[in-house]
Amino acid sequence: NLVIVSWGRPGTGGGQWFNEITAGGKLRAAVWGGSILGDTQIDDGTWHHVAVVVPDKENVKAEDILLYIDGEQEDTTLSNGARTIDTAVDMDVLLSTDGSEGLLDDLRIYNYMLREDDIQALADRT
């Protein structure tokens, strides 16, 4: 798997979560013990706009995450979706922590939840 970005510290329960491209070429957001997997293959040699949205609510769980590819919400598969995510502001954000090489352009982390039309507008600009 190719880690795109991770947040938090290992060994802190839901305190570390990450976004990655799986060995099967699909977008996955995971928190230790739980994950959500998209169904679009994105390792096809072309640029894709990807968005991972963590809803603005208390006790966010893996099952609450929304995945978007090229502005369209993904159909997803859950694995232990009830795992709670801790997105505390004092945690580190790391890029490609597994030593993989690739190109990444315009990584953004917002402190609010983007709406679907916001994501579509961003995807249309790429």
Side-chain angles (χ1 to χ4, degrees):
N1 293 353
L2 167 66
V3 175
I4 300 169
V5 63
S6 68
W7 178 305
R9 295 178 202 95
T12 57
Q16 183 181 38
W17 64 286
F18 52 94
N19 305 311
E20 66 183 357
I21 300 172
T22 66
K26 297 178 180 181
L27 180 63
R28 179 176 176 249
V31 61
W32 297 118
S35 68
I36 189 163
L37 175 68
D39 70 344
T40 301
Q41 189 160 355
I42 59 174
D43 65 346
D44 57 2
T46 61
W47 282 96
H48 290 280
H49 180 272
V50 300
V52 178
V53 178
V54 178
D56 185 14
K57 66 180 203 173
E58 293 292 319
N59 298 317
V60 176
K61 297 174 176 42
E63 65 193 15
D64 299 321
I65 296 173
L66 304 172
L67 302 178
Y68 292 84
I69 303 295
D70 300 325
E72 299 294 323
Q73 187 173 345
E74 285 283 277
D75 289 329
T76 56
T77 304
L78 287 172
S79 173
N80 193 9
R83 183 63 182 214
T84 302
I85 301 169
D86 177 3
T87 56
V89 296
D90 66 339
M91 295 189 182
D92 296 328
V93 174
L94 303 170
L95 300 177
S96 188
T97 57
D98 61 1
S100 300
E101 292 185 23
L103 299 174
L104 179 67
D105 183 41
D106 197 18
L107 174 71
R108 298 178 186 193
I109 299 174
Y110 295 90
N111 64 352
Y112 57 90
M113 181 178 163
L114 294 179
R115 298 181 322 260
E116 187 167 353
D117 58 334
D118 297 325
I119 293 168
Q120 289 171 347
L122 289 168
D124 288 344
R125 293 181 19 197
T126 57

